[in-house]
Every structure is written in C-alpha cells, then in structure tokens.
Amino acid sequence: MWALLIILLIVWAGLAVFGFVIKGLLWLAVLGIVLFLATLVIGMLRRAGASNK
C-alpha cells in the first residue's frame, strides 16, 4: 500500500513540475499539486487509522 502511495506522490509531483515548466499547462500544475496533497492526506489518515487498531 505504501509503495502505491509513494508512486502516486512522485507522479503528482512530476505533473506539477511539468505544468510549471510549460507555461500553457498551468492547469496541469494545479491538478498535480491538488492530487499530491490529497494523496498525502489520505495516506496519513490511513496510517493513523491503522495505528489505532
């Protein structure tokens, strides 16, 4: 599970960087940042939930 989250974080960060490099794809940068943060939050919530059991 953690491997998948790390892969997703890397992909989202790559999309954000790619979006900032190519000015016309600013929407891709915003999407990459939003997905990166969402994946990070979901991963932390699942980790917190697993440690409570």
Side-chain angles (χ1 to χ4, degrees), residues 19 23-32:
K23 303 266 189 230
L25 296 177
L26 187 60
W27 61 270
L28 187 61
V30 173
L31 180 66

Side-chain angles (χ1 to χ4, degrees), residues 19-45:
F20 280 122
V21 168
I22 300 182
K23 303 266 189 230
L25 296 177
L26 187 60
W27 61 270
L28 187 61
V30 173
L31 180 66
I33 291 170
V34 169
L35 291 174
F36 180 88
L37 293 175
T39 304
L40 191 62
V41 169
I42 289 170
M44 289 184 159
L45 289 175

Side-chain angles (χ1 to χ4, degrees), residues 2-15 32 35-36 39:
W2 281 107
L4 177 63
L5 286 175
I6 291 171
I7 290 170
L8 284 175
L9 289 173
I10 292 170
V11 169
W12 302 149
L15 284 176
L35 291 174
F36 180 88
T39 304

